[in-house]
Amino acid sequence: MVSFKKKLPFIVISSSILHLPFCSCSPLREALPAFNHFKHDNLNSQLSPKMVYEVTIHGVLLWASMGFLMPLGILIIRFSGREQSTTRLKLSFYFHLIVQMLSVSVATMGAIMSIKTFENSFNNNHQRIGLALYGAIWVQAIIGFCRPLRGSKKRSIWYFLHWVIGTIICIVGILNIYTGLEAYKKRTKRSVTLWKVLFTAEICSMAFFYLFQDKWDYMQKQGPCLRDNGGQVSPSDDPESSINDKDLWREPCSKVNALKNLFN
């Protein structure tokens, strides 16, 4: 009996030590599933239908602004370089102005929507580039309205800045649309292949007209040199064609006539 009383404290302490981990770990065991569920939801959370709709509207606005209206305004002013009529030049300039202001307005609507609705932590390239573009388009608009008079010394500097900044904004804006499509794909788990194909086709068609429109007059002049009225050579049907154009036409056409006489 005495020995049992001596061993009793040891038995009590031992049982307490053995029971302690289970008691202390039971709250942790209950908390771990909840933590894992929370972590799983954060990693694989999808946007709500309302947020998906707002993200879609944001993408449509920026597509219309950066991906269509801005390149269209550049095409309009580039095509105006071929016009000789003062009236048509003024119309082209005002069309360019209207289209670009529409582009700035639509982009501003998209910017306000993204600032008010989305969680902008600016921890990805799409948000950072978009923020820089929002500021750059307004700088470009201010530069456009501060246009010096033609013939002044500042005109060439203004033209260079306006052209460089506008080109950079257009190119970076198009690239940011692609990054936006990728961000939309990751957040909504939806395919964007069709939208990428359509946007690429649109940009390629605009790039084609931008690069080759200045070659149209040259291509028109590459028609047949010989006419049916006695083999006379005419450099162009345009009465305003320059003497240099006639000289350029005379040499190849004379070779054609020489070959014709040789085989006759």
Side-chain angles (χ1 to χ4, degrees):
M1 187 67 181
V2 176
S3 62
F4 177 76
K5 289 182 179 181
K6 291 181 179 180
K7 294 181 179 179
L8 182 59
F10 177 77
I11 296 172
V12 173
I13 296 172
S14 300
S15 62
S16 301
I17 294 174
L18 291 174
H19 187 65
L20 182 61
F22 296 98
C23 295
S24 61
C25 290
S26 57
L28 181 61
R29 288 180 177 179
E30 293 176 358
L32 281 176
F35 175 77
N36 291 332
H37 180 71
F38 175 76
K39 183 178 179 181
H40 180 75
D41 287 344
N42 281 345
L43 290 176
N44 299 298
S45 61
Q46 294 186 5
L47 300 177
S48 63
K50 180 181 178 181
M51 185 61 68
V52 171
Y53 173 77
E54 291 175 346
V55 170
T56 303
I57 295 300
H58 170 78
V60 170
L61 290 176
L62 271 298
W63 184 328
S65 174
M66 298 286 185
F68 179 72
L69 289 174
M70 190 170 292
L72 179 62
I74 294 175
L75 281 177
I76 290 173
I77 202 66
R78 184 164 176 87
F79 271 98
S80 66
R82 300 170 51 195
E83 297 292 342
Q84 300 296 329
S85 173
T86 305
T87 303
R88 291 182 178 180
L89 284 173
K90 288 183 178 180
L91 287 175
S92 299
F93 170 75
Y94 286 119
F95 276 130
H96 169 78
L97 178 62
I98 292 171
V99 171
Q100 296 299 66
M101 289 310 300
L102 282 175
S103 174
V104 173
S105 301
V106 174
T108 304
M109 291 172 57
I112 295 174
M113 181 179 180
S114 64
I115 293 172
K116 292 180 62 177
T117 307
F118 307 144
E119 296 179 0
N120 297 298
S121 57
F122 300 103
N123 57 354
N124 58 70
N125 292 330
H126 179 70
Q127 293 180 348
R128 293 168 184 167
I129 295 173
L131 180 64
L133 285 173
Y134 293 151
I137 58 175
W138 275 104
V139 172
Q140 175 73 344
I142 294 172
I143 292 175
F145 280 109
C146 297
R147 181 169 56 106
L149 295 175
R150 189 180 295 274
S152 62
K153 295 181 179 180
K154 298 181 180 179
R155 177 77 177 198
S156 58
I157 300 175
W158 170 87
Y159 177 82
F160 178 77
L161 288 176
H162 190 62
W163 172 73
V164 169
I165 296 175
T167 304
I168 292 175
I169 291 174
C170 187
I171 294 174
V172 176
I174 290 171
L175 294 177
N176 206 36
I177 290 175
Y178 283 106
T179 63
L181 289 173
E182 285 296 325
Y184 179 84
K185 178 182 177 181
K186 291 179 180 179
R187 295 299 301 273
T188 63
K189 309 299 181 183
R190 297 181 180 181
S191 176
V192 294
T193 303
L194 177 61
W195 301 114
K196 284 185 178 181
V197 171
L198 293 176
F199 184 64
T200 302
E202 175 202 326
I203 296 303
C204 289
S205 61
M206 287 187 169
F208 174 81
F209 284 108
Y210 180 86
L211 294 174
F212 291 98
Q213 59 86 23
D214 57 342
K215 301 295 182 182
W216 177 248
D217 292 335
Y218 179 78
M219 292 169 63
Q220 286 182 323
K221 295 177 182 179
Q222 304 306 307
C225 297
L226 299 178
R227 290 193 172 197
D228 295 334
N229 52 354
Q232 295 180 359
V233 180
S234 176
S236 174
D237 292 335
D238 186 6
E240 296 181 358
S241 59
S242 61
I243 299 177
N244 293 332
D245 291 338
K246 294 180 181 180
D247 293 336
L248 291 174
W249 275 83
R250 187 177 293 114
E251 182 178 358
C253 292
S254 60
K255 293 181 180 179
V256 173
N257 290 333
L259 291 174
K260 181 181 177 182
N261 295 331
L262 179 63
F263 287 101
N264 288 337

